[in-house]
Amino acid sequence: MEEEFKHRVYTLIGSIPIGFVATYGQIAKLAGSPRHARAVGYLLKNLPMDSALPWYRVINGQGKISFPEDSEKFQEQQNRLLAEGVKIVSGKLSLKVYQWR
DNA sequence: GATTTGACTCGCT
DNA sequence: CAGCGAGCCAAAT
């Protein structure tokens, strides 16, 4: 695996401000590989749970959490986001995609 | 070293 | 406007 890619992905995710989120594709692109959105997900999947990385700020291209609503993972991610200041509008999470400006 | 898998996307129906 | 399908490509087995 390319260590550099991984490192950039982790760094980028870590740099997402509170109250914002980013998409897998965006992370992959900024990490240097526009077509590796899935690899990003893969990396997050095998993250150690003791990691301080805000993986829950990463969502899919549709601005949603990439888990079925009934799954525990979904619940946890949503809760963490809510705890970070994300609000609910019209029953949906008000997710603002970070733009690395 | 080949095969399967997936926390993705985009485009067409 | 929601749903489905095919493309993509690294990581894991």
Side-chain angles (χ1 to χ4, degrees), chain A residues 18-36:
Chain A
I18 293 181
F20 285 78
V21 296
T23 69
Y24 296 94
Q26 190 170 26
I27 298 291
K29 179 182 177 183
L30 292 171
S33 304
R35 309 288 179 223
H36 300 114

Side-chain angles (χ1 to χ4, degrees), chain A residues 17-71:
Chain A
I18 293 181
F20 285 78
V21 296
T23 69
Y24 296 94
Q26 190 170 26
I27 298 291
K29 179 182 177 183
L30 292 171
S33 304
R35 309 288 179 223
H36 300 114
R38 315 180 85 140
V40 174
Y42 227 111
L43 291 175
L44 295 186
K45 180 171 65 173
N46 63 43
L47 274 179
M49 49 193 96
D50 58 311
S51 170
L53 207 65
W55 55 268
Y56 44 83
R57 291 182 193 156
V58 183
I59 60 178
N60 65 22
Q62 299 162 26
K64 296 180 180 177
I65 295 175
S66 293
F67 282 114
E69 294 188 12
D70 52 307
S71 78

Side-chain angles (χ1 to χ4, degrees), chain A residues 1-22:
Chain A
M1 164 197 305
E2 300 186 25
E3 293 300 321
E4 197 157 312
F5 177 71
K6 276 168 59 177
H7 183 258
R8 285 187 224 170
V9 170
Y10 296 146
T11 303
L12 286 166
I13 295 177
S15 70
I16 302 173
I18 293 181
F20 285 78
V21 296

Side-chain angles (χ1 to χ4, degrees), chain A residues 13 16-22 24 53-60 63-67 72-88 92-98:
Chain A
I13 295 177
I16 302 173
I18 293 181
F20 285 78
V21 296
Y24 296 94
L53 207 65
W55 55 268
Y56 44 83
R57 291 182 193 156
V58 183
I59 60 178
N60 65 22
K64 296 180 180 177
I65 295 175
S66 293
F67 282 114
E72 286 299 326
K73 282 291 188 179
F74 176 92
Q75 298 291 343
E76 182 188 347
Q77 180 167 15
Q78 182 173 257
N79 284 336
R80 285 181 181 270
L81 285 172
L82 290 173
E84 299 273 321
V86 174
K87 298 177 181 177
I88 294 184
K92 305 166 188 172
L93 289 175
S94 172
L95 297 176
K96 295 178 286 184
V97 178
Y98 185 51

